[in-house]
């Protein structure tokens, strides 16, 4: 590379800077843009000078290839910039500022683009320069280093791009660059105090509060700027009510994490590692995000001393949710625990109640506070006077005037401002307008004089004066009417919007040209920030202007005042219109139906979903609510069909869009709020549609959030037949799904399935918060999940503290109380998940027998640790040694409750009088437990019932002091503690009741158990109703305190089923005894499925095309143990414990031959047709093999072997049959001629017993050519026998598990095995070498080789074999699409592509699954046989965009 190129860059950059200085000096109105461009150019010049130094100090030229390219690119870019800047060179029209001879040639957007280009050049040059220096030090090829570092940098950027990020929330964002800082000699003492705090952090949290317009944001920007300049700014977030990105907490943590990552390479690496390790963290609650993305990276910081950093958070009161405000404050408290970093958080806000209460909950030692109202008036007035002198100096220069202001005028303005900086700022902007004489406007302002009548009176007068002067003066009455109408339409929309829009965005929403909006706003720069670039957002200079226009008592002129309801109605219609016009399918141009939102093409997505469309999607319901926000409002919801049409045509498109925007939780709340809104009187049909839409989104929220296009796939496919949303969009069902599965007719009572990250703890602990908003559940991992009930969103996952959690309860104040097995109680904030307090166990009363890293099981004779809450709020705990202790909040002390001679094994709750409901362990051989009442005051014990097993006992206590317990026979006994009466509820299925819970009013009871039936009892009538059949055995159930929800959690399951109460229609559910299907078999042509029902001793034949039951085959009188189809599918053979073999015609359902009375029909375990269909072979437990004529049923041959038959295979010619038997460690393999009955070959093998135990063959298979035999034994390795040479080869990597299934390829060259762990392996038979591998993580029972050698056929579909040799199979013909069911993540896959997600309710508790040529047959837990068939033609390419 020529060193002269870098010199040329330095020379040219100096020349351009000189040109820019001339513009800065002579052009008015663009100084900010000019200064920004000059600063970037200076930074680039500095990098080039560093390169010059490197060249001058070394005899070797740089070796990094990209450095030379970067220098050349810089020279080219600067030459282009120079060409644009030289006056007269630009042919396009230029903006005119100041002197006619010089015009600034760029629009603001063009300046921004040049800044971005220069920044990229600088970053690239720095990167290449660092790489070059590294290569010199290490003696490594610089281009290799550069490639590696470039890959790492690219990966880091990819990870950081996943963070939710609010661009405009940063203090130094491009859109905020012209927002004011404190000018020199103002706020001197205040700023000094804050700067000192930012260095030492005497208290980690600082709250600056003040009323609107007092300058809080200006102080925050100034402080953030100062921290940035000294290198201690960790991040900033400036909330804004008018910004959709910054008016809530969704982007809060992600934005701060992005800022942290930019501080140093070390922090960037730590943040990226956190994102990589917790890929779903951005979809979790704030607490988890804060923990993983902020605290964890900061905790890993390594430096010589303790690093000092500061976060600046402005306008916290403009965060839309009080709960989020509380969360943020609690999260800020956690910074005090950082060891390596001294992190301070500076917060500004109005002194509103939610924030004040949030700070009052924080110990004073953690935060310090300053209210700007406490700053002496004379100091504020001094600062205002300095500010006004500064601004009037700028106005003088702008208008080229001097000597027109007087000191007394400025002092008068100070008095009129009444300590409000926003008043002074608005007055200055009003006076500085270039279209007016500033002296005249100053007089107008001063004439108004000091205002009276309230804190906002002076500001209101100023706003009225601005509007009158800008819109009314010098206009005719007709013009005034037109201008004011346009003002209400455009400015009314701006102040009513829930997010900022640009001129282009506002024009798109309102359906009008940009020019009309620009003309209407031209004179309103005093109150609005109106960028020259039409793509940048229009902003209110201060929120008080919105308050003024929307308050009729403040804005008395009806020409300007706005009717809130009317504006919301207009905007709601505009939003519905925009969505109807712009939304469509696959707006993200995703490649597959299972693609996550992050795979969307961002450029095309921004085109498909521009800002005004995104706005409409997010806020249309808010505007509908706004119509009725005022109780006195006369406006109704739009009744012209807009809403109903939207649901019928674009609801699914909207869901897809909300998923692409990562707003699914918001979508759930929007539809729920719309439903509540319609309850106040609307069209019944619309209410029904919205309710159906609510059920649709609640049922499918999780999968739509993960894969937007599943809106049209899984969400539609598995919705009930009568779902209105499903009916509206039947034409959107996937074209590649030929047969959809059978679904329910209507929505069930379960409204949501909450999918836990791991399985539940064995105690199935679960509790609702006191307000019903959250539900907490314990995981087997020891962690606690906290869910939001309204949306189903996971809010927090509390970390695991050892030992394990023993009980979960919410206190009345909302605190989550967790009792651990060592007796410790930890209290957590339900919203933030912050640990609030630790209550240590009573003075070493119990020392838990814990083995590190091993979970201790509770002995059935010991006490189960538990926690109860007394009526007054005090806590009662039961320790594993049977001791009961009470924690008194008053005095914070423990007291022992003791009754001599008894051992308490369980605590179930307490009555309103404080009596404890407990299980008392009785000594003796029966080890019975008495359910008793314990009176803490008198130590009296009242026995209620004796139970043989306390652990099987479900007990519940109602608010009416009724105690319920379940018996083994399914009955439920009720004891009324008030009158001592005992009653019984009968009708629950027999079996152990594992869950009982009363409704909050005590009038209803829910029962559930291992039979999965959930029943609701009306205790006034003892009437029972079926609520649901749970996905699996119910471990516990609970009502929310408000009675709106009932939750049931599975034992060792991963799902919490959430039910909405009251349930409107319980009568339609009927209990059906599920059919017990033992196995299924698909015919070779895939047209029929045979299912064995041993509770009825019948075979059912299903037609796969119709998905319906076709025939029921009666005849067997005992269990049917095996069935098989003939190769042509025309016949079916079955064997039964009734010692008969029957042949059937599955096409007609007719019974054929019945074989009986022959020795060897007892205990048949295997049955099969020969390939040519002429013979039927069976093998039994006693080692007898029968060969029957398939036409006549006559016995052709019988072979008596030494032990049980494990495998039988007809060889390809149908003339020979191979068998394998085993007993203990002896095995026999042989080949027989089926026509003559003669034995052709036999050999035996034995294996030494292991630890004196015997091991039988688990699986066995014989190659079609009869030359090889494979089997697996216990936990030993699978083996391959060469039946000719008698050589045995063990297959490596198959020990420590057993092979669940074995299959030879059709040409006998390859063997496929599946271990019990779900690892599919393909072996070369001749060499016993592994040639293919695929982990499916589920045990496969049936394996076979189709003609396509890159896949295996299984009951889960086609399984791809990884790393297989391309030329291993000669015949690779077969289907062009390969469908399989991925057990791990519950997807139907086409090759490697996720196509259809299967919800847990569809597969949970499934009994059997089978696959054939794209057809999946799933036997549900209910006994229902369900069918899905997928296209077997060309691979799916059409995503129906």
């Amino acid at each position: 590379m020529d060193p002269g190129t870098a010199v040329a860059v330095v020379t040219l950059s100096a020349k351009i800077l000189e040109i820019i200085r001339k513009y800065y000096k002579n052009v008015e109105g663009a100084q900010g843009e000019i200064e920004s461009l000059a600063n970037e150019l200076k930074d680039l010049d500095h990098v080039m000078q560093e390169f010059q130094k490197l060249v001058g100090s070394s005899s070797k030229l740089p070796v990094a290839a990209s450095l030379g390219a970067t220098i050349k690119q810089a020279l080219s870019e600067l030459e282009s910039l120079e060409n644009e800047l030289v006056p007269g060179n630009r042919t396009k029209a230029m903006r005119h500022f100041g002197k006619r001879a010089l015009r600034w040639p760029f629009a603001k957007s063009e300046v921004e683009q040049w800044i971005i280009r220069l920044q990229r050049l600088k970053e690239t040059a720095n990167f290449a320069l660092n790489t070059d220096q590294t290569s010199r030090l290490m003696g490594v090829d610089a281009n290799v280093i550069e490639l590696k570092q470039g890959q790492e940098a690219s990966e880091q950027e990819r990870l950081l791009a996943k963070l939710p990020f609010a661009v405009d929330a940063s203090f130094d964002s491009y859109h905020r660059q012209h927002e004011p800082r404190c000018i020199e000699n103002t706020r001197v003492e205040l700023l000094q105090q804050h700067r000192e705090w930012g260095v030492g952090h005497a208290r980690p949290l600082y709250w600056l509060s003040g009323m609107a317009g007092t300058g809080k944001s200006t102080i925050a920007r100034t402080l953030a700027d100062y921290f940035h300049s000294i290198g201690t700014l960790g991040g900033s977030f400036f909330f804004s009510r008018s910004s959709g990105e910054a008016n809530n907490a969704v982007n809060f943590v992600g934005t701060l994490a992005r800022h942290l990552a930019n501080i140093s390479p070390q922090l960037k690496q730590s943040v990226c590692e956190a994102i990589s390790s917790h890929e779903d963290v951005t979809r979790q609650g704030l607490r988890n995000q804060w923990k993983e993305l902020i605290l964890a990276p900061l905790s890993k910081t390594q430096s010589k001393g303790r690093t000092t950093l500061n976060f600046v958070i402005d306008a916290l009161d403009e965060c839309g949710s009080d709960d989020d405000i509380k969360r943020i404050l609690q999260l800020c408290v956690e910074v005090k625990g950082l060891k390596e970093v001294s992190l301070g958080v500076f917060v500004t806000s109005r002194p509103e109640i939610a924030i004040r209460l949030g700070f009052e909950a924080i110990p004073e030692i953690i935060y310090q506070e300053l209210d700007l109202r406490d700053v002496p008036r004379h100091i504020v007035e001094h600062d205002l006077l300095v500010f006004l002198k500064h601004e009037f100096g700028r106005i003088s220069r702008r208008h080229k005037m001097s000597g027109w202001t007087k000191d007394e005028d400025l002092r008068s303005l100070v008095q009129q401002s009444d300590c409000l900086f926003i008043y002074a700022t608005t007055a200055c902007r009003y006076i500085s307008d270039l279209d007016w004489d500033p002296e005249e406007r100053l007089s107008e302002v001063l004439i108004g004089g000091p205002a009276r009548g309230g804190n906002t009176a002076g500001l209101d007068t100023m706003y009225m004066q601005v509007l009158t002067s800008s819109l009314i003066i010098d206009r005719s009455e007709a013009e005034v009417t037109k201008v004011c109408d346009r003002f209400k339409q455009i400015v009314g929309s701006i102040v009513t919007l829930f997010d900022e829009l640009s001129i282009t965005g506002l024009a798109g929403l309102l359906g009008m040209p940009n020019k009309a909006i620009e003309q209407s706003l031209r004179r309103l720069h005093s109150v609005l920030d109106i960028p020259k670039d039409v793509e940048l957002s229009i902003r209110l200079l201060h929120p008080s202007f919105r308050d003024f226009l929307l308050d009729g008592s403040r804005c008395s002129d009806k020409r300007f005042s706005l009717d809130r309801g009317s504006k919301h109605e207009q905007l709601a219609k505009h939003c519905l219109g925009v969505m109807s016009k712009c939304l469509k399918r696959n707006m993200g141009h995703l490649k597959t139906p299972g693609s996550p939102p992050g795979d969307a093409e961002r450029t095309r997505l921004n085109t498909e979903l521009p800002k005004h469309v995104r706005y409409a999607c997010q806020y249309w319901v808010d505007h509908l609510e706004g119509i009725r926000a005022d109780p006195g409002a006369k406006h109704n919801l739009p009744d012209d069909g807009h809403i109903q049409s939207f649901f019928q045509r674009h609801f699914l498109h909207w869901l897809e869009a909300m998923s692409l925007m990562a707003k699914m939780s918001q979508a759930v709340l929007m539809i729920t709020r719309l439903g509540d809104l319609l309850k106040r009187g609307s069209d019944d049909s619309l209410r029904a549609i919205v309710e159906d839409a609510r059920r649709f989104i609640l049922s499918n929220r999780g999968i739509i959030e993960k894969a937007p296009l599943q809106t049209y796939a899984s969400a539609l496919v598995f919705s009930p037949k009568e779902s209105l949303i499903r009916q509206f969009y039947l034409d959107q069902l996937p074209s590649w799904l030929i047969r959809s599965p059978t679904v329910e007719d209507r929505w069930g009572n379960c409204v949501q399935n909450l999918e836990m990250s791991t399985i539940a703890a064995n105690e199935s602990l679960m509790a609702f918060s006191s307000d019903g908003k959250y539900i907490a559940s314990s995981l087997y991992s020891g962690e606690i999940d906290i869910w939001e009930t309204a949306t189903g969103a996971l809010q927090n996952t509390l970390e695991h503290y050892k030992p394990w959690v023993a009980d979960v309860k919410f206190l009345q104040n909302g605190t989550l109380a967790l009792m651990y097995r060592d007796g410790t109680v930890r209290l957590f904030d339900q919203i933030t998940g912050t640990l609030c307090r630790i209550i240590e166990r009573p003075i070493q009363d119990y020392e838990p027998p814990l083995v590190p890293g091993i979970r201790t099981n509770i002995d059935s004779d010991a006490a189960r640790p538990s926690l109860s809450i007394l009526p007054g709020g005090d806590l009662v705990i039961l320790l594993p040694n049977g001791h009961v202790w009470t924690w008194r909040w008053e005095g914070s002390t423990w007291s022992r409750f003791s009754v001599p001679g008894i051992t308490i094994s369980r605590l179930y709750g307490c009555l309103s009088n404080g009596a404890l409901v407990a299980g008392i362990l009785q000594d003796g051989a029966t080890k019975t437990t008495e359910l008793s009442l314990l009176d803490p005051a008198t130590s009296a014990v009242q026995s209620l019932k004796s139970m043989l097993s306390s652990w099987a006992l479900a007990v519940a206590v109602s608010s009416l002091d009724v105690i319920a317990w379940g018996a083994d026979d399914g009955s439920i006994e009720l004891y009324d503690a008030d009158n001592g009466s005992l009653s019984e509820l009968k009708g629950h299925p027999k079996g152990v009741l594992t869950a009982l819970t009363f409704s909050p009013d005590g009038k209803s009871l829910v029962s559930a158990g291992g039979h999965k039936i959930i029943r609701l009892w009306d205790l006034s009538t003892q009437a029972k109703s079926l609520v649901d059949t749970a996905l699996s055995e119910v471990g516990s159930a609970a009502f929310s305190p408000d009675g709106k929800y009932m939750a049931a959690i599975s034992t060792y399951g991963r799902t919490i089923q959430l039910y909405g109460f009251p349930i409107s229609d319980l009568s339609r559910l009927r209990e059906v005894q599920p059919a017990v299907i033992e196995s299924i078999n698909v015919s070779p042509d895939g047209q029929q499925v045979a299912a064995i029902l041993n509770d009825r001793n019948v075979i059912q034949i299903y037609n796969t095309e119709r998905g319906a039951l076709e025939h029921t085959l009666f005849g067997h009188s005992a269990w049917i143990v095996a069935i098989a189809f003939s190769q042509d599918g025309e016949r079916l053979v079955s064997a039964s414990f009734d010692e008969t073999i029957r042949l059937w015609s599955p096409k007609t359902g007719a019974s054929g031959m019945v074989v009986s009375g022959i020795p060897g029909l007892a205990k048949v375990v295997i049955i099969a047709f020969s390939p040519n269909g002429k013979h039927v072979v069976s093998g039994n437990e006693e080692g007898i093999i029968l060969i029957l004529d398939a036409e006549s049923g006559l016995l052709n041959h019988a072979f008596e072997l030494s032990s049980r038959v494990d495998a039988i295979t007809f060889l390809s010619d149908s003339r020979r049959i191979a068998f394998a038997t085993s007993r203990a460690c002896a095995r026999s393999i042989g080949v027989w001629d089926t026509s003559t009955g003669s034995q052709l070959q036999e050999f035996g093998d034995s294996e030494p017993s292991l630890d004196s135990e015997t091991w039988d063959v688990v699986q066995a298979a014989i190659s079609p050519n009869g030359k090889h035999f494979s089997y697996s034994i216990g936990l030993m390795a699978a083996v391959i026998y060469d039946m000719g040479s008698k050589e045995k080869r063990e297959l490596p990597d198959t020990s420590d598990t057993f092979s669940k299934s074995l299959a030879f390829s059709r040409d006998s060259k390859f063997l496929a095995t599946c271990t019990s762990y779900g690892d599919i392996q393909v072996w070369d038979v001749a060499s016993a070498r592994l040639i293919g591998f695929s982990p499916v993580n589920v045990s496969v029972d049936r394996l076979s080789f189709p003609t396509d050698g890159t896949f295996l056929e299984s009951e889960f579909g086609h399984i791809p074999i990884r790393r297989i040799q391309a030329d291993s199979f000669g015949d690779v013909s077969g289907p062009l699409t390969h469908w399989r069911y991925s057990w791990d993540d519950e997807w139907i896959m086409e090759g490697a592509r996720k196509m259809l997600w299967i919800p847990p309710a569809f597969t949970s508790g499934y009994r059997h699954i089978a696959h054939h040529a794209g057809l999946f047959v799933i036997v549900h837990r209910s006994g229902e046989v369900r069918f899905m068939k997928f296209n077997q033609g060309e691979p799916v390419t059409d995503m129906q965009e």
Side-chain angles (χ1 to χ4, degrees), residues 1184-1228:
I1184 299 176
I1185 296 177
L1186 305 177
I1187 299 179
L1188 308 170
D1189 185 283
E1191 293 295 332
S1192 64
L1194 296 177
L1195 178 65
N1196 286 346
H1197 302 286
F1199 312 128
E1200 292 191 25
L1201 309 175
S1202 59
S1203 59
R1204 184 193 69 205
V1205 179
D1206 291 308
I1208 298 178
T1209 298
F1210 274 98
L1211 304 189
S1212 55
D1213 57 7
S1214 294
R1215 294 178 55 193
R1216 291 173 297 163
I1217 182 173
F1219 67 86
T1221 67
S1222 75
R1223 177 65 63 190
C1225 293
R1227 284 165 295 285
S1228 177

Side-chain angles (χ1 to χ4, degrees), residues 1342-1373:
R1342 301 173 186 173
L1343 274 181
S1344 64
F1345 278 83
T1347 54
D1348 185 341
T1350 59
F1351 285 81
L1352 287 171
E1353 180 69 79
S1354 76
E1355 68 266 35
F1356 295 98
H1358 289 175
I1359 299 174
I1361 305 301
R1362 301 175 188 172
R1363 301 198 305 270
I1364 200 161
Q1365 293 180 356
D1367 59 350
S1368 294
F1369 298 87
D1371 181 7
V1372 293
S1373 62

Side-chain angles (χ1 to χ4, degrees), residues 426 429-431 433 441 466 523-528 541:
T426 304
R429 291 179 69 95
Y430 177 68
I431 294 167
D433 195 324
R441 287 214 154 179
V466 169
R523 293 187 175 186
L524 295 174
H525 286 269
S526 301
V527 289
L528 298 174
L541 285 179

Side-chain angles (χ1 to χ4, degrees), residues 749 972 985 988 997-999 1003-1008 1013-1019 1021-1028 1039 1046 1060-1064 1066 1071:
N749 293 324
I972 301 170
L985 301 176
H988 208 293
T997 182
F998 283 98
S999 61
K1003 297 179 180 179
S1004 302
L1005 177 71
V1006 165
S1007 60
I1013 296 295
I1014 303 176
R1015 190 183 293 288
L1016 176 69
W1017 304 82
D1018 183 331
L1019 298 182
T1021 63
Q1022 293 198 354
K1024 62 181 184 294
S1025 304
L1026 176 66
V1027 174
D1028 197 9
F1039 272 95
M1046 191 278 292
F1061 272 75
I1063 296 174
S1064 56
L1066 286 165
E1071 288 184 27

